Short mmCIF file of all heavy atoms in Angstrom, two decimals:
data_model
loop_
_atom_site.label_atom_id
_atom_site.label_comp_id
_atom_site.label_asym_id
_atom_site.label_seq_id
_atom_site.Cartn_x
_atom_site.Cartn_y
_atom_site.Cartn_z
N CYS A 48 -1.37 95.74 72.80
CA CYS A 48 -1.29 97.15 72.42
C CYS A 48 -2.68 97.79 72.51
O CYS A 48 -3.61 97.35 71.83
CB CYS A 48 -0.73 97.29 71.01
SG CYS A 48 -0.45 98.99 70.52
N ASP A 49 -2.79 98.81 73.34
CA ASP A 49 -4.09 99.46 73.56
C ASP A 49 -4.69 100.05 72.29
O ASP A 49 -5.91 100.05 72.12
CB ASP A 49 -3.97 100.56 74.61
CG ASP A 49 -3.73 100.00 75.99
OD1 ASP A 49 -4.00 98.80 76.21
OD2 ASP A 49 -3.26 100.76 76.85
N LYS A 50 -3.86 100.52 71.39
CA LYS A 50 -4.43 101.15 70.20
C LYS A 50 -5.06 100.15 69.24
O LYS A 50 -5.73 100.53 68.30
CB LYS A 50 -3.42 102.04 69.50
CG LYS A 50 -2.23 101.35 68.90
CD LYS A 50 -1.34 102.40 68.25
CE LYS A 50 0.05 101.88 68.02
NZ LYS A 50 0.89 102.91 67.44
N TYR A 51 -4.87 98.86 69.50
CA TYR A 51 -5.51 97.83 68.68
C TYR A 51 -6.73 97.23 69.37
O TYR A 51 -7.21 96.17 68.96
CB TYR A 51 -4.53 96.71 68.32
CG TYR A 51 -3.36 97.16 67.49
CD1 TYR A 51 -2.08 96.72 67.75
CD2 TYR A 51 -3.54 98.03 66.43
CE1 TYR A 51 -1.01 97.12 66.98
CE2 TYR A 51 -2.47 98.45 65.67
CZ TYR A 51 -1.21 98.00 65.94
OH TYR A 51 -0.15 98.41 65.19
N ASP A 52 -7.23 97.89 70.39
CA ASP A 52 -8.40 97.38 71.11
C ASP A 52 -9.59 97.11 70.18
O ASP A 52 -10.37 96.20 70.43
CB ASP A 52 -8.83 98.35 72.21
CG ASP A 52 -7.98 98.23 73.45
OD1 ASP A 52 -7.20 97.26 73.54
OD2 ASP A 52 -8.08 99.12 74.32
N PHE A 53 -9.71 97.90 69.14
CA PHE A 53 -10.83 97.71 68.21
C PHE A 53 -10.75 96.37 67.48
O PHE A 53 -11.74 95.92 66.89
CB PHE A 53 -10.92 98.87 67.21
CG PHE A 53 -9.79 98.90 66.21
CD1 PHE A 53 -9.96 98.39 64.94
CD2 PHE A 53 -8.56 99.46 66.54
CE1 PHE A 53 -8.94 98.43 64.01
CE2 PHE A 53 -7.53 99.51 65.62
CZ PHE A 53 -7.72 99.00 64.35
N LEU A 54 -9.61 95.70 67.53
CA LEU A 54 -9.45 94.40 66.87
C LEU A 54 -9.59 93.22 67.84
O LEU A 54 -9.59 92.07 67.40
CB LEU A 54 -8.06 94.32 66.21
CG LEU A 54 -7.82 95.24 65.03
CD1 LEU A 54 -6.36 95.16 64.61
CD2 LEU A 54 -8.72 94.87 63.88
N CYS A 55 -9.74 93.48 69.12
CA CYS A 55 -9.78 92.40 70.11
C CYS A 55 -10.94 91.43 69.85
O CYS A 55 -10.78 90.22 69.97
CB CYS A 55 -9.87 92.96 71.52
SG CYS A 55 -8.29 93.63 72.09
N ASP A 56 -12.09 91.96 69.50
CA ASP A 56 -13.23 91.08 69.23
C ASP A 56 -12.97 90.18 68.04
O ASP A 56 -13.34 89.01 68.05
CB ASP A 56 -14.50 91.90 68.98
CG ASP A 56 -14.98 92.62 70.23
OD1 ASP A 56 -14.63 92.17 71.34
OD2 ASP A 56 -15.68 93.63 70.10
N VAL A 57 -12.32 90.70 67.03
CA VAL A 57 -12.00 89.90 65.85
C VAL A 57 -11.01 88.81 66.23
O VAL A 57 -11.18 87.65 65.87
CB VAL A 57 -11.42 90.78 64.73
CG1 VAL A 57 -10.96 89.95 63.56
CG2 VAL A 57 -12.44 91.81 64.28
N ALA A 58 -9.97 89.18 66.97
CA ALA A 58 -8.97 88.19 67.38
C ALA A 58 -9.59 87.14 68.29
O ALA A 58 -9.32 85.95 68.15
CB ALA A 58 -7.81 88.89 68.09
N ASN A 59 -10.46 87.55 69.22
CA ASN A 59 -11.14 86.60 70.09
C ASN A 59 -12.00 85.65 69.27
O ASN A 59 -12.04 84.46 69.54
CB ASN A 59 -12.01 87.31 71.12
CG ASN A 59 -11.24 87.74 72.33
OD1 ASN A 59 -10.22 87.16 72.65
ND2 ASN A 59 -11.72 88.76 72.98
N GLY A 60 -12.69 86.16 68.28
CA GLY A 60 -13.53 85.32 67.42
C GLY A 60 -12.72 84.30 66.67
O GLY A 60 -13.11 83.14 66.54
N VAL A 61 -11.56 84.70 66.18
CA VAL A 61 -10.68 83.78 65.46
C VAL A 61 -10.17 82.71 66.40
O VAL A 61 -10.15 81.53 66.07
CB VAL A 61 -9.51 84.55 64.81
CG1 VAL A 61 -8.45 83.60 64.29
CG2 VAL A 61 -10.02 85.43 63.68
N ILE A 62 -9.78 83.12 67.60
CA ILE A 62 -9.28 82.15 68.58
C ILE A 62 -10.36 81.15 68.93
O ILE A 62 -10.14 79.94 68.95
CB ILE A 62 -8.76 82.87 69.84
CG1 ILE A 62 -7.49 83.66 69.51
CG2 ILE A 62 -8.50 81.88 70.97
CD1 ILE A 62 -7.04 84.60 70.62
N LYS A 63 -11.58 81.64 69.20
CA LYS A 63 -12.67 80.74 69.55
C LYS A 63 -13.01 79.81 68.39
O LYS A 63 -13.30 78.64 68.59
CB LYS A 63 -13.89 81.55 69.97
CG LYS A 63 -13.71 82.22 71.32
CD LYS A 63 -14.88 83.07 71.68
CE LYS A 63 -14.63 83.80 72.99
NZ LYS A 63 -15.68 84.73 73.33
N GLN A 64 -12.98 80.32 67.17
CA GLN A 64 -13.28 79.50 66.00
C GLN A 64 -12.22 78.41 65.85
O GLN A 64 -12.54 77.26 65.59
CB GLN A 64 -13.33 80.36 64.75
CG GLN A 64 -13.65 79.59 63.50
CD GLN A 64 -13.68 80.48 62.26
OE1 GLN A 64 -13.45 81.68 62.34
NE2 GLN A 64 -13.95 79.90 61.13
N GLU A 65 -10.94 78.77 66.03
CA GLU A 65 -9.87 77.78 65.92
C GLU A 65 -10.01 76.71 67.00
O GLU A 65 -9.79 75.53 66.73
CB GLU A 65 -8.51 78.45 66.05
CG GLU A 65 -8.09 79.21 64.82
CD GLU A 65 -6.72 79.85 65.00
OE1 GLU A 65 -6.25 79.98 66.14
OE2 GLU A 65 -6.14 80.22 63.98
N GLU A 66 -10.36 77.13 68.22
CA GLU A 66 -10.54 76.15 69.29
C GLU A 66 -11.68 75.20 68.97
O GLU A 66 -11.57 73.99 69.20
CB GLU A 66 -10.80 76.87 70.61
CG GLU A 66 -9.59 77.57 71.18
CD GLU A 66 -9.91 78.40 72.41
OE1 GLU A 66 -11.09 78.52 72.78
OE2 GLU A 66 -8.96 78.94 73.00
N ALA A 67 -12.76 75.72 68.44
CA ALA A 67 -13.91 74.88 68.09
C ALA A 67 -13.53 73.89 66.98
O ALA A 67 -13.87 72.70 67.05
CB ALA A 67 -15.09 75.74 67.65
N GLU A 68 -12.80 74.37 65.98
CA GLU A 68 -12.38 73.49 64.88
C GLU A 68 -11.43 72.41 65.40
O GLU A 68 -11.50 71.25 65.00
CB GLU A 68 -11.72 74.30 63.78
CG GLU A 68 -12.69 75.16 63.01
CD GLU A 68 -12.01 76.12 62.04
OE1 GLU A 68 -10.76 76.14 61.99
OE2 GLU A 68 -12.73 76.84 61.35
N SER A 69 -10.55 72.79 66.31
CA SER A 69 -9.61 71.84 66.89
C SER A 69 -10.34 70.77 67.69
O SER A 69 -10.02 69.58 67.60
CB SER A 69 -8.61 72.58 67.78
OG SER A 69 -7.74 71.67 68.39
N LYS A 70 -11.35 71.18 68.47
CA LYS A 70 -12.13 70.22 69.24
C LYS A 70 -12.89 69.27 68.32
O LYS A 70 -12.96 68.06 68.59
CB LYS A 70 -13.11 70.95 70.16
CG LYS A 70 -12.45 71.59 71.35
CD LYS A 70 -13.46 72.32 72.21
CE LYS A 70 -12.79 73.04 73.35
NZ LYS A 70 -13.73 73.81 74.16
N ARG A 71 -13.45 69.82 67.24
CA ARG A 71 -14.17 68.95 66.29
C ARG A 71 -13.22 67.95 65.66
O ARG A 71 -13.55 66.77 65.50
CB ARG A 71 -14.84 69.80 65.20
CG ARG A 71 -16.16 70.39 65.60
CD ARG A 71 -16.92 70.92 64.40
NE ARG A 71 -16.23 72.02 63.76
CZ ARG A 71 -16.44 73.31 64.00
NH1 ARG A 71 -17.34 73.65 64.88
NH2 ARG A 71 -15.77 74.24 63.37
N ALA A 72 -12.02 68.39 65.31
CA ALA A 72 -11.05 67.49 64.69
C ALA A 72 -10.62 66.40 65.66
O ALA A 72 -10.50 65.23 65.28
CB ALA A 72 -9.84 68.28 64.21
N ARG A 73 -10.39 66.77 66.92
CA ARG A 73 -10.02 65.77 67.92
C ARG A 73 -11.16 64.78 68.14
O ARG A 73 -10.93 63.58 68.29
CB ARG A 73 -9.64 66.45 69.24
CG ARG A 73 -8.28 67.10 69.21
CD ARG A 73 -7.82 67.47 70.60
NE ARG A 73 -8.77 68.32 71.30
CZ ARG A 73 -8.67 69.64 71.41
NH1 ARG A 73 -7.69 70.27 70.85
NH2 ARG A 73 -9.58 70.33 72.09
N GLY A 74 -12.38 65.28 68.17
CA GLY A 74 -13.54 64.41 68.35
C GLY A 74 -13.69 63.44 67.19
O GLY A 74 -13.96 62.26 67.39
#
Side-chain angles (χ1 to χ4, degrees):
C48 186
D49 290 341
K50 65 181 162 182
Y51 297 137
D52 280 348
F53 69 99
L54 292 173
C55 285
D56 292 337
V57 174
N59 276 335
V61 168
I62 291 170
K63 289 177 184 175
Q64 181 181 1
E65 285 181 343
E66 289 174 355
E68 289 172 358
S69 177
K70 286 179 184 177
R71 278 194 296 266
R73 285 193 304 261

